[in-house]
Amino acid sequence: MSSFPVDLPEFPDEVVTEAYVRFVEPPGLGGRAALITLDNGYDHTKPTSMGPAGMRNLWAALDEALASDAKFVAVTGKPFIFLAGADIKMMPLLESREQGLAMAQAGHVLYKRLKDASVPTFAFINGTALGGGMELALHCHYRTVSASAVALGLPEVSIGLIPGWGGSQILPNLIGPEAAAQVIIGNPLNQNKMLRGPDLTKLGIADAQFEAADFIEESVAWATAVVNGEIAVERPEIDRGESWQAVVAGARKLVDEKIHNASPAAMKALDLLELARTASFEEGSLAEDEALADLEMAPEFKTSLYAFNLVRQLGKRPEGAPSPGLAKEIGKVGVVGAGLMAGQIALMFARRLEVPVVMTDLDAERAERGLEYVRGEIDKLEAKGRASRLKAAKLRSLVSASADKGVYADCDLVIEAVFEELKVKQAVFAEVEQVVSEECLLVTNTSGLSVTAMASKLARPERLVGMHFFNPVAVMPLVEVIATSSTDEETLATAYAVAKQLKKTAVGSADRPAFIVNRLLGRMLAEVTGAVDEGTPVEVADVALDR
């Protein structure tokens, strides 16, 4: 067997991905096929990733498979995981640009064996395929995907990098520059939006799609038919003329309007997409190597990686959160108010918790208006294909409205989203407390008022907690959880558990004016207005934070 051609640094804490080769004899093939399975020995909660040891293992597996009499070679992953890309934990350990360049070159050298293989190569994308995992699949001649696969994409731009193992060069030439720009730049900058199995099929990244139950068997049978010439895979002709240039120019304008100069990675990714129109694959690969090595040393990547790791850590166990075992189960939710924020909160609880949600307001007309807003948003979800007809019907049945707060009597959680005035909120909680059960949690969505002051008027202050959601509620991933000195462990544990069920990142905040986010925003705006007071032209100050 050949040795790995790139000298890579060692990372003692690498969770090593093995590459197991087995040979199968599909009916009708008239010979053997080599199936390589990537597996790190853990279940799906610890996805496979590609570090130096994993690269060497895949290299050895390709040595064995490509030197055999196999009529085709296929790569797949352990259950629910194809490959989650480069090992992100090792990136802060890179000591120099040279090490980063070596890692970039290693990925190209390794994956190119699949692209240049003399026998057909296939990627059987059975689950999560991110970054370098998706790029491995792109190097294969053909791809199948599981219909239930989730977490698919090229998210590198979201953490200050670019798809540096061939993604920026192969993808636009496979599905066109416009779709590629959306996958490589648009999705990462849109809350790091992920793709699903059917999305890969629709985009033309996957050539065939099969159900999860018999995915590998169906993929092997399909690959056999392709190799035998029984199935012809047709791909669209990509226009590499002026339209490609126009797409890139338009994308540059959109990116500049959205983030200005805050993401060098996004602009570098666009440079590489533009290069992919005319450059050879080798030239494009060299450009990716250099770009990746530069970006890995940039401060934007280091701060993005810090934020990524912080959010991931908070997602597992937020700092200061009590044991999840203390959390209560929520079976019905009440929302006080029927305005815009209240309607968004009501819909979020219905979608994520799938429990009855009831809204109230000062009179039946206001309550009905709020309910109509929620129903309108559900209609939009259905029209966009984000909710099936049955799902939309279920959501409509879960949300109701009334002018009578007596509907909160059997609620497990009641959250207020009324006018941001302390006396108004105190009056609301005083009224609600007379109706709800002893076990019901009371939650305020205040953006900065004293939760302690609200609790001071309650008979049972220990069951009040703050959960500050941001607008638009469905999009913003953060929720501030605010406990008072009276809030008990059960209430706090439930707030964090609910935030997780709502798919939000919860962060604990002290009960201080404006909490965390708005407090920082106030300080930032104070610097801007202070600069204006000291003579900076308003026109300059207005765009200062864009640059």
Side-chain angles (χ1 to χ4, degrees), residues 323-336:
S323 169
L326 295 173
K328 294 180 179 179
E329 186 175 346
I330 302 300
K332 182 179 178 181
V333 172
V335 180
V336 185

Side-chain angles (χ1 to χ4, degrees), residues 467-483:
M467 292 185 73
H468 176 212
F469 297 98
F470 295 84
N471 189 23
V473 173
V475 175
M476 303 302 285
L478 186 69
V479 57
E480 294 174 321
V481 176
I482 307 98

Side-chain angles (χ1 to χ4, degrees), residues 170-182 184 203 236-240 244 247 273:
I170 297 175
L171 193 62
N173 284 295
L174 177 67
I175 64 174
E178 185 172 7
Q182 183 61 43
I184 293 173
L203 285 167
E237 184 84 20
I238 303 300
D239 183 358
R240 293 177 177 80
W244 185 305
V247 165
L273 282 179

Side-chain angles (χ1 to χ4, degrees), residues 8 12 39 68 80 155 189 209 228 249 256 369 427 451 463 540 543:
L8 293 174
D39 194 339
S68 72
F80 310 111
L189 295 181
Q209 176 181 304
N228 288 340
D256 184 57
R369 224 172 19 237
V451 181
R463 61 171 164 175
V540 174
V543 297

Side-chain angles (χ1 to χ4, degrees), residues 39 55 150 158 171 182 214 238 364 412:
D39 194 339
M55 288 181 168
V150 296
S158 69
L171 193 62
Q182 183 61 43
D214 51 3
I238 303 300
D412 302 298

Side-chain angles (χ1 to χ4, degrees), residues 168-198:
S168 75
Q169 302 303 293
I170 297 175
L171 193 62
N173 284 295
L174 177 67
I175 64 174
E178 185 172 7
Q182 183 61 43
V183 173
I184 293 173
I185 301 159
N187 288 351
L189 295 181
N190 182 21
Q191 302 291 334
N192 203 13
K193 181 182 178 182
M194 293 287 109
L195 301 173
R196 296 174 176 268

